[in-house]
Amino acid sequence: MAEQFTSEDVRKVASLARLRLEDAELETFAGQMTDILKYVEMLEEVDTEGVEPMAHAVERSNVLREDEPTQMLPREAALANAPKTDGKFFLVPQIIDAE
Amino acid sequence: MAQADQIIAKSADELARLIADGGLSSTEVTTAFLDRIDAVDSQVEAFLHVDREDALKQAGEVDNKRSAGEALGPLAGVPIAVKDVLCDETKACTCASRMLENFRPPYSSHVVNRLKAADAVLIGRTNMDEFAMGSSTENSGFQKTKNPWSLDSTPGGSSGGSAAAVAASMAPLALGTDTGGSIRQPAGFCGIVGLKPTYGRVSRYGLVAFASSLDQVGPMSHDVSGSARLLQAIAGHDPLDSTSLPEPVPDYLSTIDQPIDGLRIGICREHYGEGLSPEVDRAVQAAVDTYIEQGAEVVDVELPHSKYSVATYYIIAPSEASSNLARYDGIHYGYRAEKFDDMIDLYARSRGESFGAEVKRRIMLGTYALSAGYSDQYYNKALKVRRLIRRDFDDAFSKVDVILSPVTPSPAFKIGELADDPLAMYLSDIYTISANLAGIPGISIPAGQSESGLPIGLQLLGPTFGEETLFRAARMFEQRTDWHKQRAALA
């Protein structure tokens, strides 16, 4: 497991997580992440050979409903919180060059 | 007409009965609590939003129903504060985050609908740690809530706003959510009762997700009967939540005053070691003596993996959070950065500018723990240890009815004291976290005070769907003590 979490490590993880951080944050998070990951290392001493992972507190298989249409969110409600909209669609920045 | 200070001093159960009997109107009760909010919330900062006019309108509707002889719900006319993480289509739901500052949900959560069906008065939206991440309510994007017992101390978190609202007599009941102790820890710090139900007992539909396999909605109140009454109203199966369990809900209030003959109390000696403050230790030992005087049997139980609970939690919860919070990208709703270079930069700036430090830290922890090459080391390993923690509890509950422990290692800490040391902050949840990992219920009840007058809580854990046992066992303690009657001396 990680011995030392560097500012560069933070920058890489933040990029994966789509988080833009200030330089000062990189330094702070590096120290804190190092402390936390060192603490978490204690899990290595637990013998988990043959133990089934427990992803959920309730053991459930997939819950499926009948494949029937149900009421949908009205367009007006779906768009109500949009940062930008033309009343019909969400407006997002252009990402494809016009040419 | 009763004096306002007499009204706000009453428990939720007393108020519910008085309103039902016609001894008080909901308008009188709601006005008293709204006036209390006006008087003291500028000091406590428990609420993010209070709509006086709307609250009085709700109260008036209850009074009109009563006057007309219509059937009333079990919470008729009783004000309730709701943590700002539960969607209500009539209110903004911010999760105390700049990301959702202007978000108005298009639908209401299951529990909010249940409260309305029970004729409760939703009096306001309470502050919290951003997206329920934290143990002090210092991580709110808007304000820091203070502990009503000592305004320079934290109320705990993440349901610190809800706990402080009850402790400061600004609401007789509140809803919180508990992912790693976020109901029980602030209840302990604020000297009130807080219950985390069995996972699946209460629907999470319309609860903004932090860690989906751990989050659970639960009640907070001055006394045990208040929490029992509130849980009664919100518990039960919801087909809109696939993790909600189709189990019948017992009538908690009808059995709450029945002591449990020969109550078997489990004590895990590992809970009483290094890091536990002597004041908390003394209060918990006194509580054990109180139970012994009532004929309870104390049994040593072993929870050998409990010492790994914080480490396990801080892999699993951030992993789920990193996935759940990926939806906040500034496209369909939430904050969008004004300046950006391209699509990826839009996402990164929107998230970077609007999330606070704790949320960023947990998203990154989760992203790291789930990333290629590390997921077996971290996430999958934690899931296996989680099962061992659950097995420990299953073994223990084959021998005892409840497990008794402190809620927290110390009374409430000072605001800012742990702000720069997240690991130390995480360890304040060391006694509460394992219940979330195992999915079992736990209750925090007032059980003492420190020398400086801060509340000390006592935790009882029960087996799956053991809420009825927890209420009865907690009530046994309450009947012999008066800690639940103490109120913060807030001017």
Side-chain angles (χ1 to χ4, degrees):
Chain A
M1 292 190 178
E3 285 295 307
Q4 189 73 35
F5 216 78
T6 66
S7 296
E8 208 39 52
D9 293 329
V10 175
R11 191 189 302 279
K12 185 179 174 189
V13 175
S15 169
L16 291 171
R18 304 288 185 252
L19 283 171
R20 187 180 173 91
L21 301 180
E22 303 297 329
D23 287 347
E25 290 180 293
L26 294 174
E27 195 75 21
T28 305
F29 284 139
Q32 293 172 340
M33 297 274 284
T34 299
D35 290 346
I36 295 165
L37 290 170
K38 278 187 176 165
Y39 178 78
V40 166
E41 276 181 23
M42 71 163 67
L43 295 182
E44 285 184 333
E45 69 192 49
V46 185
D47 180 3
T48 53
E49 187 68 33
V51 177
E52 192 71 18
M54 182 177 163
H56 223 270
V58 177
E59 307 283 3
R60 305 279 287 181
S61 55
N62 243 346
V63 180
L64 304 175
R65 66 168 174 81
E66 293 300 315
D67 186 18
E68 292 171 355
T70 56
Q71 194 175 3
M72 292 167 59
L73 206 58
R75 181 193 295 251
E76 191 182 340
L79 294 173
N81 285 292
K84 282 191 180 171
T85 170
D86 63 358
K88 289 183 180 176
F89 301 103
F90 294 98
L91 288 186
V92 295
Q94 179 175 323
I95 58 167
I96 301 171
D97 287 341
E99 298 172 15
Chain B
M1 183 173 171
Q3 293 289 321
D5 55 354
Q6 292 175 325
I7 292 175
I8 63 170
K10 294 185 187 305
S11 72
D13 214 40
E14 290 171 320
L15 292 170
R17 291 176 198 280
L18 278 165
I19 294 169
D21 294 347
L24 283 173
S25 71
S26 177
T27 300
E28 283 177 289
V29 170
T30 303
T31 301
F33 283 102
L34 287 167
D35 289 348
R36 176 70 171 172
I37 292 170
D38 284 347
V40 302
D41 198 40
S42 58
Q43 301 172 66
V44 179
E45 297 191 88
F47 285 92
L48 290 175
H49 179 74
V50 177
D51 183 341
R52 187 180 185 95
E53 194 178 327
D54 178 61
L56 289 172
K57 181 168 171 276
Q58 296 174 57
E61 287 168 1
V62 173
D63 290 335
N64 290 339
K65 278 176 83 171
R66 192 179 184 284
S67 298
E70 294 178 33
L72 293 173
L75 294 170
V78 180
I80 294 183
V82 177
K83 187 175 179 179
D84 200 26
V85 70
L86 290 157
C87 290
D88 179 340
E89 61 187 329
T90 68
K91 307 280 186 313
C93 179
T94 72
C95 297
S97 177
R98 296 285 174 193
M99 173 59 85
L100 291 179
E101 189 168 5
N102 300 308
F103 178 66
R104 201 177 178 98
Y107 63 93
S108 293
S109 60
H110 179 81
V111 291
V112 162
N113 285 332
R114 283 285 190 99
L115 292 181
K116 290 178 179 175
D119 291 318
V121 172
L122 279 62
I123 199 167
R125 312 274 301 173
T126 53
N127 194 29
M128 53 186 281
D129 284 305
E130 184 179 11
F131 285 105
M133 297 182 194
S135 306
S136 65
T137 314
E138 291 170 287
N139 299 318
S140 166
F142 304 118
Q143 62 196 34
K144 287 179 172 55
T145 300
K146 284 70 174 185
N147 190 316
W149 292 84
S150 169
L151 294 174
D152 61 356
S153 296
T154 79
S158 63
S159 306
S162 291
V166 174
S169 300
M170 293 189 279
L173 291 174
L175 279 185
T177 62
D178 192 316
T179 305
S182 282
I183 288 174
R184 290 161 288 156
Q185 185 251 26
F189 278 6
C190 290
I192 65 167
V193 174
L195 175 101
K196 183 204 91 72
T198 302
Y199 184 85
R201 174 88 285 183
V202 179
S203 169
R204 292 182 300 108
Y205 177 76
L207 160 65
V208 178
F210 156 22
S212 306
S213 80
L214 305 164
D215 300 336
Q216 187 62 188
V217 186
M220 306 174 91
S221 56
H222 284 296
D223 61 12
V224 178
S225 60
S227 282
R229 183 177 284 269
L230 182 47
L231 181 65
Q232 192 86 55
I234 62 172
H237 183 238
D238 172 15
L240 295 177
D241 173 4
S242 65
T243 61
S244 161
L245 294 172
E247 293 288 323
V249 180
D251 183 352
Y252 300 119
L253 281 171
S254 70
T255 58
I256 192 168
D257 285 322
Q258 297 171 9
I260 299 171
D261 288 337
L263 177 70
R264 295 169 302 164
I265 294 177
I267 299 285
C268 175
R269 297 294 164 191
E270 286 186 0
H271 286 163
Y272 301 89
E274 192 183 348
L276 182 64
S277 94
E279 289 178 314
V280 174
D281 194 13
R282 277 195 295 274
V284 173
Q285 295 310 324
V288 172
D289 291 341
T290 301
Y291 277 112
I292 291 173
E293 286 166 13
Q294 295 178 81
E297 178 190 0
V298 172
V299 179
D300 282 336
V301 294
E302 290 186 358
L303 300 170
H305 298 94
S306 66
K307 66 178 172 180
Y308 303 109
S309 59
V310 174
T312 304
Y313 176 89
Y314 279 99
I315 294 298
I316 293 174
S319 294
E320 295 186 17
S322 71
S323 174
N324 276 325
L325 271 64
R327 70 191 63 167
Y328 303 111
D329 57 8
I331 299 298
H332 298 95
Y333 58 95
Y335 175 87
R336 180 185 290 183
E338 288 185 8
K339 294 179 182 171
F340 44 85
D341 297 330
D342 54 27
M343 185 180 70
I344 299 296
D345 197 43
L346 163 64
Y347 298 158
R349 282 184 190 266
S350 297
R351 291 158 64 81
E353 290 173 14
S354 63
F355 287 146
E358 186 62 37
V359 171
K360 289 175 184 172
R361 187 161 44 240
R362 295 200 196 194
I363 288 175
M364 287 194 291
L365 265 176
T367 302
Y368 184 67
L370 291 174
S371 60
Y374 293 105
S375 60
D376 272 344
Q377 268 181 297
Y378 289 103
Y379 184 63
N380 291 338
K381 179 78 179 183
L383 293 184
K384 291 178 181 181
V385 179
R386 180 181 188 176
R387 185 170 298 280
L388 296 174
I389 291 169
R390 170 62 188 241
R391 282 182 190 167
D392 288 348
F393 278 118
D394 289 343
D395 289 346
F397 285 122
S398 68
K399 302 177 190 124
V400 298
D401 300 302
V402 297
I403 294 172
L404 182 152
S405 78
V407 181
T408 53
S410 67
F413 45 86
K414 301 281 186 201
I415 291 170
E417 187 178 337
L418 303 180
D420 296 326
D421 189 350
L423 184 56
M425 183 81 84
Y426 297 169
L427 289 168
S428 75
D429 291 335
I430 195 163
Y431 298 117
T432 53
I433 274 176
S434 55
N436 299 79
L437 293 167
I440 61 172
I443 192 168
S444 171
I445 53 176
Q449 282 181 9
S450 69
E451 284 179 11
S452 59
L454 286 168
I456 294 173
L458 176 75
Q459 178 175 247
L460 299 173
L461 300 176
T464 302
F465 293 117
E467 287 86 356
E468 188 178 1
T469 300
L470 288 182
F471 284 137
R472 290 174 63 190
R475 186 81 181 109
M476 285 171 68
F477 182 75
E478 213 174 58
Q479 285 172 331
R480 293 291 184 105
T481 59
D482 64 357
W483 297 113
H484 62 290
K485 293 178 182 166
Q486 308 289 320
R487 297 287 185 270
L490 197 64

